[in-house]
Amino acid sequence: MTPERDGPESPGSIQAARQRLSEGGFDPASFDVAGQSREIAVLNLAGARGVAAARRIAQIGRMTPELKELGFRYVAIDITDAGVAAENENQGSYDQEPRQERKGK
Amino acid sequence: MEMNAEHDRKLTRLKEILVECESVCIGYSGGVDSVFLSRVALDVLGSDSVMAVTGRSAAYPAFQRDMARECAHRFGIPHTELPTEELSDPNYTANSSRRCYFCKDELWSKLVEFAGVHGFRAVLDGSNADDAGDYRPGIHAAREWGVRSPLLEAGLTKREIRGHSRELGLPTWDRPAAPCLSSRVPYGIRVTPERLRQIEEGEAALRALGFREFRVRHHGSAARLEFAPNELPLAAEKTGKISRVIRAAGFDRVLLDVEGYRSGSLNEGLPQLTLEATA
């Protein structure tokens, strides 16, 4: 079984993605899949915002071809927590202020 | 210079086609192509021989409707709106790769009937020369209903239409493409009024945050956001606000696509054979 032929639902594909991400300097635990057929490869933003978020997007952007080769149709960053954090902080300038990075879920 | 002559030749051909048509009913979404076509038709045929018709349903965004109305009002284009019922058609809501065919079939059935009742001799759409090479099942529905595409027939490309629109002072000249809201739902996932509402609400909120070219793609509980590459840095700055407004639209999870906006991204991964078979 070659990873390239696995669909996004394949654990093999997910495992391979985690390995590639680890080799690329990412925390493999921050990797997840989304979408109704689990076609989206997702990396958690881990609380990064502003410049840190832009850097993270660029970093994962460079790995997109590799992740798509594993069978994922899309590659995305999960920014859900950025809004949750903003609400918790309850302030207007949350988008500009750096915040301690958290482990992804 | 040669290029200008070529543009002029195409524009002349467009006007000749409109004269041949005598009186026209135009499918009018308020986008770049249909506004330009309606404006030229008005110049060539006069207001008694032109009617711009907008099909109205939950898949048609309110901001687009407002733009359509504003342009018609500002340029004196005769305009009306007809309700369309594509969301009552199970072939449409099933959301196969032929969805656009069923939508246009409904739209053109309404416009052809309207044209017949009101004595317009031709029904036109705003397809252009660039559309000819794309996967556009909607064009097949247009052909089946005898709808003509004068911009395509004259060989006018999107770029040329934008240039002429600018010269004519049309506010649509630099507007991004704005296909219907159903185009944000992946094939195979049912199109429902509730999903369309979520998409429209999310996109309206992103527009209010200052974004111009983007899509909210509906993946069930997750929204996958595509921003034009030049807007990605702004998106990275505003992740907090973006997440908040998208969740307020009813999504549990907010995903930022790292490749950014590209037209037809939901066609990615569709087998080529499927596209060809349904074209």
Side-chain angles (χ1 to χ4, degrees), chain A residues 68 77-80 94-95, chain B residues 240-241 243 253-254 256 259:
Chain A
K68 284 185 142 185
I77 294 269
D78 191 333
I79 62 169
T80 313
Y94 50 81
D95 280 322
Chain B
K241 285 176 184 166
S243 169
R253 203 165 178 195
V254 188
L256 184 62
E259 291 184 281

Side-chain angles (χ1 to χ4, degrees), chain A residues 15-31 43 55-64 66-67 70:
Chain A
Q15 195 178 356
R18 287 204 166 112
Q19 190 179 335
R20 300 269 176 96
L21 288 165
S22 178
E23 288 162 6
F26 292 89
D27 176 2
S30 67
F31 178 78
L43 215 70
R55 197 183 310 126
R56 208 160 173 81
I57 290 167
Q59 282 172 337
I60 191 67
R62 285 193 285 276
M63 295 198 68
T64 295
E66 285 180 68
L67 292 169
L70 295 172

Side-chain angles (χ1 to χ4, degrees), chain B residues 22-184:
Chain B
E22 296 182 21
S23 63
V24 298
C25 186
I26 299 171
Y28 177 81
S29 66
V32 183
D33 302 316
S34 64
V35 169
F36 172 69
L37 178 61
S38 300
R39 177 74 168 81
V40 176
L42 179 66
D43 283 350
V44 172
L45 301 172
S47 61
D48 289 343
S49 300
V50 175
M51 181 60 74
V53 182
T54 302
R56 204 181 54 223
S57 79
Y60 180 64
F63 92 96
Q64 182 87 0
R65 181 200 61 210
D66 294 344
M67 173 61 89
R69 287 176 180 173
E70 186 201 319
C71 285
H73 178 73
R74 191 162 145 194
F75 295 99
I77 300 165
H79 178 223
T80 192
E81 297 174 2
L82 294 177
T84 56
E85 312 290 336
E86 65 272 22
L87 282 157
S88 304
D89 178 359
N91 288 314
Y92 176 87
T93 56
N95 198 20
S96 73
S97 59
R98 294 189 75 208
R99 184 195 64 236
C100 292
Y101 171 86
F102 298 111
C103 172
K104 296 300 184 192
D105 185 54
E106 163 70 4
L107 176 71
W108 299 126
S109 74
K110 293 277 165 68
L111 263 74
V112 166
E113 184 185 358
F114 178 91
V117 168
H118 294 88
F120 291 96
R121 296 182 66 93
V123 178
L124 311 180
D125 76 2
S127 300
N128 64 55
D130 293 331
D131 297 330
D134 270 0
Y135 169 64
R136 303 232 175 202
I139 288 182
H140 292 264
R143 296 297 163 266
E144 287 172 11
W145 282 100
V147 174
R148 288 186 70 174
S149 306
L151 301 174
L152 192 157
E153 288 178 43
L156 281 158
T157 63
K158 191 78 163 190
R159 188 189 169 101
E160 290 164 341
I161 291 164
R162 288 188 186 281
H164 288 306
S165 296
R166 189 177 192 176
E167 286 167 16
L168 288 170
L170 302 177
T172 45
W173 76 271
D174 66 342
R175 285 199 60 213
C180 82
L181 295 171
S182 300
S183 66
R184 277 68 147 173

